[in-house]
Amino acid sequence: MDWLSHYMIAFLIGRKMELDDQKLQAFTLGALILDIDIIYYLFPGTIIPIHGTMTHTLLGAVLLGGISTAAMWMWKRKFLGSWIAVGIISHLMLD
């Protein structure tokens, strides 16, 4: 599934759940963070496609979830790791 679909589904679910803005941001970040490896395609001449490999594993999800939680803590000064985890789980389930 493409990143835009992951974002829209997470956004619509978050709105339906009536999440506040910070929780909605964390939820959508979690839904998108596993697709960070698409940056690899910005470099022409890439031979081996890596999208959906390393970041779509349990270890990748835990590492990226931890990094995202730390980033949200530094930005919002609020623990939103559970909503990031829900977003990551939704991403893995949709893929």
Side-chain angles (χ1 to χ4, degrees):
M1 186 174 284
D2 64 301
W3 65 269
L4 184 59
S5 299
H6 283 296
Y7 171 77
M8 289 305 299
I9 290 170
F11 180 81
L12 293 173
I13 290 171
R15 283 291 178 207
K16 186 71 175 172
M17 293 172 57
E18 298 179 359
L19 297 178
D20 63 31
D21 288 342
Q22 290 183 346
K23 290 177 183 172
L24 183 62
Q25 289 169 359
F27 183 50
T28 54
L29 174 64
L32 290 174
I33 195 64
L34 297 184
D35 284 338
I36 191 88
D37 58 2
I38 63 172
I39 293 172
Y40 182 74
Y41 292 111
L42 295 176
F43 303 102
T46 56
I47 298 170
I48 303 171
I50 64 164
H51 178 66
T53 56
M54 294 175 280
T55 59
H56 286 68
T57 63
L58 183 59
L59 178 61
V62 169
L63 289 174
L64 289 172
I67 292 168
S68 300
T69 300
M72 288 296 282
W73 173 258
M74 289 188 297
W75 182 36
K76 298 288 186 179
R77 293 291 180 211
K78 187 174 181 182
F79 178 75
L80 297 166
S82 56
W83 288 106
I84 292 172
V86 171
I88 289 173
I89 291 167
S90 76
H91 184 110
L92 292 173
M93 288 176 63
L94 289 170
D95 274 351

